[in-house]
Amino acid sequence: MAHFRTLDNLEQEIGDVRGKVALVRVDLNLPMADGEATDLTRVRAVAPTILELADAGAKVLLLAHFGRPKGQRHSTMSTSVVQGDVEKVLGREVMYISEVSGPVVEQSLGIIQDGGIGLLENTRFWPGEEANDATFAQGIAANGDFYVNDAFSAAHRAHASTEGLAHLLPAFAGRAMQAELEALDKALGSPQQPVAAVVGGAKVSTKLDVLENLSGKVQHLIIGGGMANTFLAARGVDVGKSLCEHDLAAKVSTIMDAADAAGCTVHLPYDVVVAREFAANPPSLRTCNVHEVSADEMILDVGPQATEALADVLKTCRTLVWNGPLGAFETPPFDAATIALARTAAALTEEGSLISVAGGGDTVAALAHAGVTQDFSYVSTAGGAFLEWMEGKELPGVAALSR
Ligand code: ADP
Ligand code: MG
């Protein structure tokens, strides 16, 4: 793993932080409904970093984006909307500051005491943020003594607050960023072998690069969800009305060949759960061999026999990385395979025989549905950044912290 500075290196690099200004990039892009945040997980994730810096006496200025304002002010996308949520999670007062640079920030720093916290305005209100404009970044950096990035979820973007600032000030990974990078390194960077990867879900074409990268790195590639349908169809199986991208056959062959050459076993389901209509517990529900799917049926989950065989594969592995549910888990009983395999992985992790790392928006929801979130070694909520990491890409926000 590339080396990066963490908060453990603060004192050695910049001395006592008391009275110094920390510019801390966090993820406060909270899910909203009717103007209210519906989930504060992202705030809880960055709280340890904020409190550690504040307790050491730094003046902490939070930088974040919120929504997609495209370089203009929009009152509904002001960070002032989530100020109360941040205060609630931190249990501290947080001062909202209506700019990210200039005299307003300077004056606010005159009011904020050592150990106090300020929340700067949405960085994306200025076009310089997404353009990673040097002058814009310099304006922010002018009010800070050092920079801390605790937003892995935004690290796949080379923006001023995620990348540019790291070149202008002493830069450190926050605790959440550090935990994420350490977990990802254990999963694919320098993992204990054998490694299994589960790739499922619906976004087939956007995940082919993930499969290509994984096929050279893991010993077992377990394919489920719509992804499995696409693979089965490419191999000549009639998948009926299943979610499937039929035009990807050539790409699938390339991936199968690459896996073969690398000694990676690709696991496709041999029994499946099908129905004629996509509804909860439909009357047409049945389990069959993949070669027995009729033209008016869809594959909605991996079958019980294949799921059991996959559990046996996991028992031989030391590391698991998982993105994408095995079936349409939101609709019962098409959650069965995902729940069963997730619980096997959780039990193996608890026993200490498996390191399990998972990520992806719907994957996080599926694991929560299976009740195993706490039992996995690490569950990433980073979405796009997690997938780019699974593709083997270097994330600009992480690269800028490396040394
Ligand atoms: P993630 O967000 O974890 O990266 P995706 O967005 O790629 O995952 O896919 C998740 C979606 O895939 C879920 O909504 C799930 O219902 C759907 N899905 C999984 N298997 C199937 C299937 N066989 N047919 C239709 N949809 C499926
Ligand atoms: Mg999704």
Side-chain angles (χ1 to χ4, degrees), residues 35-73:
E36 299 278 337
T38 54
D39 182 66
L40 301 184
T41 306
R42 287 179 160 167
V43 190
R44 283 193 287 271
V46 295
T49 294
I50 299 170
L51 294 175
E52 183 174 342
L53 289 166
D55 288 344
K59 297 185 180 188
V60 181
L61 291 185
L62 304 178
L63 282 163
H65 75 276
F66 184 42
R68 297 175 184 272
K70 305 228 164 89
Q72 286 185 344
R73 284 187 187 263

Side-chain angles (χ1 to χ4, degrees), residues 201-203 207 225-226 229 243 299-300 323-325 327-328 330 360-363:
K203 291 183 211 148
K207 288 187 182 178
N229 301 339
L243 172 71
I299 301 172
L300 291 164
N323 170 262
E330 300 93 338
D362 294 289
T363 308

Side-chain angles (χ1 to χ4, degrees), residues 317-349:
C317 291
R318 303 300 311 275
T319 304
L320 166 69
V321 45
W322 185 331
N323 170 262
L326 294 180
F329 75 97
E330 300 93 338
T331 312
F334 310 114
D335 52 356
T338 304
I339 291 178
L341 200 65
R343 290 194 177 152
T344 300
L348 293 169
T349 306

Side-chain angles (χ1 to χ4, degrees), residues 94-301:
V94 174
M95 181 184 187
Y96 160 71
I97 302 168
S98 62
E99 302 285 337
V100 291
S101 62
V104 171
V105 179
E106 221 172 289
Q107 284 153 19
S108 304
L109 283 169
I111 301 166
I112 293 175
Q113 314 245 311
D114 292 357
I117 302 162
L119 172 58
L120 299 174
E121 187 49 282
N122 187 346
T123 52
R124 291 193 186 167
F125 280 5
W126 291 269
E129 165 70 344
E130 292 179 71
N132 201 1
D133 178 71
T135 311
F136 177 70
Q138 279 154 10
I140 300 173
N143 287 311
D145 294 302
F146 63 100
Y147 167 73
V148 176
N149 190 346
D150 214 22
F152 177 82
S153 56
H156 57 316
R157 310 271 187 235
H159 294 170
S161 71
T162 62
E163 202 271 348
L165 280 176
H167 300 293
L168 300 175
L169 291 170
F172 304 86
R175 295 301 182 197
M177 173 73 88
Q178 180 186 352
E180 181 104 25
L181 294 177
E182 286 170 358
L184 298 189
D185 189 63
K186 275 190 204 153
L188 282 186
S190 45
Q192 292 187 41
Q193 297 188 340
V195 186
V198 173
V199 181
K203 291 183 211 148
V204 178
S205 41
T206 61
K207 288 187 182 178
L208 289 170
D209 289 341
V210 169
L211 291 177
E212 211 151 17
N213 180 44
L214 291 176
S215 64
K217 290 196 173 154
V218 307
Q219 285 69 50
H220 296 278
L221 192 49
I222 295 170
I223 301 185
M227 186 72 80
N229 301 339
T230 299
F231 269 67
L232 290 167
R235 312 192 81 195
V237 174
D238 183 355
V239 297
K241 287 194 300 170
S242 301
L243 172 71
C244 175
E245 292 182 41
H246 290 278
D247 52 343
L248 295 177
K251 191 81 189 180
V252 167
S253 298
T254 312
I255 291 167
M256 296 293 281
D257 291 347
D260 208 33
C264 165
T265 308
V266 177
H267 300 267
L268 290 170
Y270 45 81
D271 64 334
V272 286
V273 181
V274 300
R276 280 202 298 273
E277 66 275 44
F278 185 23
N281 305 301
S284 60
L285 180 74
R286 69 182 188 108
T287 299
C288 67
N289 184 283
V290 285
H291 297 289
E292 297 163 359
V293 179
S294 41
D296 61 348
E297 287 178 319
M298 339 172 222
I299 301 172
L300 291 164
D301 199 12

